[in-house]
């Protein structure tokens, strides 16, 4: 399997993406990687790589790196040779089976939509990620690609999220919740009310009603659907809370001589806890609805996180995710 | 000062509201309380109350308790004698200076708007709460009363939130952030873009640009404004994450004989931490824009939380919050 990696994306570029790629090659003997980006920055990082791994890496040179604040449509029109563009193009031309980028999300979505095309009935990719939950995991979409959604969009997200939970997490008839400001039937906007009505009357997804932000981590449902603003807000808020809590824990253990003493003993337990909740572990959101696997890594991901995104892309290819999502969407029509 | 309390609201009704009211009377000698609700349920809970406190409690009987799923407009029309209605009416008739309820938020907002009226230029109350942040606190609004907002609404929230941060938290020129899906200038819906343009061109609030969900707890800004869906999602997500994290911490300390041993030593530190982050501590959201103080307690609040909401209402009266909010809104016109 060949995965194309936009080596320039994210806050750290090749310094993070190249070591992650090398680690993935070490761990998965059937994997090959195409790195797109500035050879002058990438090649030195490959110098320490074992020759037998080097054989499975190729580099496609590009000096155009898309910035985080670049306008996606402008990028599509005028930066055709960018590292993001080349990585997606490799998938479009079937040279690669998936692509991974930590770059500008909007540009990634716009270029992927243009080069890979959507499945009929889907207008824009939906960003879907896995979040930790009590007794398992929960998928959530959309996380920011679709800011304004109508009821049909939300139903589409439910279909695509269900397909992903089925093939990637082996859940039979995954439960889908619709994010709302309350669980009572009357709550929510017209769009949410309409989406609930649509989902209550179909049989392609196992719709289980409204959920609230607090249910994301409770394990009550397997998939949560919402518009991109709510999803993005929920995702980033939860990142913020985790960071804040660990700061508070650290401070709590510095407050007295007793707590400082205990903190030495407790360190291994907290370290394990932190590792199990580390956002890096859950890094790698899939752009669903595209006719090809595109995985978005968090821009701030370190090497561990970017490695997870590569593994995620690989698993999506193995599970034939895109095809299954396309089938589910087609069944609706 | 007399505060009217809807004794029937919330998940637990008088069992929580009455003991919280008694505690508030104990702590604040200048406080009197009017409890609205079912005498048959309230009176027995007052039996253990010291006679000198009893003198400062009155009860206004009502057998109509609004349910959480009741339609707010229906409640306004046909349940005029409900405990929520009576509590707000006491404020409207200037018998009470504030009212506190843990009941149906929608009904509270609709009745309060009808009986107390809004300040000119504000169409609906905005729900505003204080959240813990690194080095202090952050105010956030709206949290669910205004699901669809236009740019002017968001600007109004900025004005009202600023006024609250000034008088309740004594912040001079509080920094206001506009919640968005990214910090880059191009990001967001047309409404958010328009709101940013308005706020960049005025001088009544100290607008400091876009913030993301992760910034709520970072202490970067003093006030965060957003529509009710995003705000509600962020608030409930953060509650869910905190609950989830404490479950995970508990599990982490149960995993081995070593961690179980350590957990005994660490208990006092974690207990203190939990207390400092307890949502109950931050309970009590103010409905801003009304010509009267109305505080909404979390429906699931226990006695400690409801007590905090009463204290919050008292502080809002002392700070002359409503008037200050009205002045700020008027200055815009």
């Amino acid at each position: 399997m060949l995965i194309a990696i936009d080596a320039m994306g994210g806050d750290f570029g090749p310094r993070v993406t190249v070591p992650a790629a090398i680690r993935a090659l070490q761990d998965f003997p059937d994997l090959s990687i195409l790195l797109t980006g500035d050879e002058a920055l990438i090649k030195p990082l490959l110098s320490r790589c074992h020759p037998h791994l080097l054989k499975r890496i190729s580099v496609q040179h590009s000096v155009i790196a898309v910035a985080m604040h670049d306008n996606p449509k402008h990028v599509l029109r005028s930066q055709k040779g960018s590292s993001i563009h080349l990585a997606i193009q490799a998938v479009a031309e079937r040279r690669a089976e998936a692509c991974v980028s930590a770059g500008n999300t909007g540009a990634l979505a716009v270029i992927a939509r243009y080069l890979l095309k959507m499945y009929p009935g889907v207008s824009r990719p939906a960003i879907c990620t896995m979040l930790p939950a009590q007794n398992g995991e929960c998928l959530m979409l959309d996380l920011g690609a679709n800011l304004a959604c109508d009821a049909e969009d939300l139903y589409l997200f439910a279909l695509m999220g269900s397909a992903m939970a089925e093939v990637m997490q082996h859940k039979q008839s995954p439960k889908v919740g619709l994010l709302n400001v309350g669980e009572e039937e009357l709550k929510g906007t017209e769009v949410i009310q309409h989406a609930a009505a649509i989902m209550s009357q179909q049989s392609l997804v196992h719709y289980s009603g409204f959920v609230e932000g607090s249910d994301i981590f409770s394990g009550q449902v397997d998939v949560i659907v919402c518009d991109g603003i709510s999803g993005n807000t929920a995702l980033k808020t939860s990142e913020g809370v985790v960071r804040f809590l660990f700061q508070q824990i650290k401070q709590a253990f510095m407050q007295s001589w007793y707590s400082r003493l205990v903190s030495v003993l407790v360190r291994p337990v907290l370290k394990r806890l932190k590792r199990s909740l580390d956002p890096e572990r859950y890094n790698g959101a899939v752009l669903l609805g595209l006719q090809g696997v595109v995985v978005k890594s968090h821009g701030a991901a370190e090497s561990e996180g970017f490695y997870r995104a590569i593994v995620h892309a690989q698993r999506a290819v193995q599970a034939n995710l895109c095809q299954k999502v396309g089938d589910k969407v087609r069944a609706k029509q």
Side-chain angles (χ1 to χ4, degrees), chain A residues 149-171:
Chain A
C149 293
D150 62 22
E152 285 292 339
D153 291 332
L154 294 171
Y155 177 36
L156 257 182
F157 299 166
L159 289 162
M160 298 196 293
S162 286
M164 182 157 161
E166 282 167 21
V167 300
M168 298 277 287
Q169 302 177 286
H170 313 291
K171 289 183 179 172

Side-chain angles (χ1 to χ4, degrees), chain A residues 1-6 17-18 20-36 46 49 51-60 87 90-91 94-100 306 309-311 313-315 317-318:
Chain A
M1 183 190 311
L2 191 133
I3 294 182
I5 291 177
D6 160 23
T17 57
V18 175
I22 294 172
R23 185 174 154 204
L25 289 172
Q26 274 165 343
D27 291 354
F28 303 99
D30 293 334
L31 185 66
S32 301
I33 282 177
L34 167 68
L35 296 166
T36 63
L46 293 175
C49 181
H52 83 269
L53 293 180
L54 262 187
K55 276 189 238 158
R56 285 149 56 203
I57 300 188
S58 48
V59 180
Q60 190 172 0
V91 182
R94 308 205 174 261
R95 287 179 285 123
E97 285 169 88
C99 105
V100 182
F306 199 81
I310 300 171
V311 174
Q314 197 185 210
R315 284 190 55 223
V317 173
Q318 282 161 347

Side-chain angles (χ1 to χ4, degrees), chain A residues 122-153:
Chain A
V122 191
S123 57
R124 263 177 318 216
I127 304 177
C128 181
T129 202
M130 199 171 76
L131 292 165
Q134 203 57 18
N135 316 318
E137 286 125 3
C138 174
L139 293 177
M140 190 161 179
L141 70 163
D142 173 57
L143 298 172
N146 302 267
L147 299 189
C149 293
D150 62 22
E152 285 292 339
D153 291 332

Side-chain angles (χ1 to χ4, degrees), chain A residues 203-266:
Chain A
S203 57
L204 291 173
V205 301
H206 178 180
Y207 174 62
S208 70
F210 294 141
V211 293
E212 301 180 73
S214 49
D215 298 318
I216 300 171
F217 304 91
S218 71
Q220 199 179 307
V221 292
D222 302 301
V223 179
I224 293 182
V225 297
C226 56
D227 66 44
I229 298 229
S230 304
N232 196 280
T233 300
L235 182 72
K236 288 181 178 161
T237 300
S238 57
E239 284 172 15
V241 177
V242 172
R243 204 177 308 133
F244 176 68
L245 273 180
F246 275 104
Q247 280 165 344
Q248 296 294 309
I249 291 176
K250 214 170 155 188
Q251 280 175 18
F253 279 112
M254 293 300 285
Q255 259 172 8
S256 66
W257 65 264
Y258 174 81
S259 57
R260 268 182 230 185
L261 204 72
V262 169
S263 79
V264 180
L265 299 171
V266 92

Side-chain angles (χ1 to χ4, degrees), chain A residues 170-197:
Chain A
H170 313 291
K171 289 183 179 172
Q172 285 191 318
S173 185
K175 281 193 274 182
V176 177
L178 181 58
L179 191 71
N180 201 353
V181 295
E183 288 178 8
E184 299 85 0
E185 266 184 39
L186 279 167
K187 292 266 174 108
T189 58
E190 267 175 50
V191 168
I192 292 175
Q193 285 288 330
H194 186 193

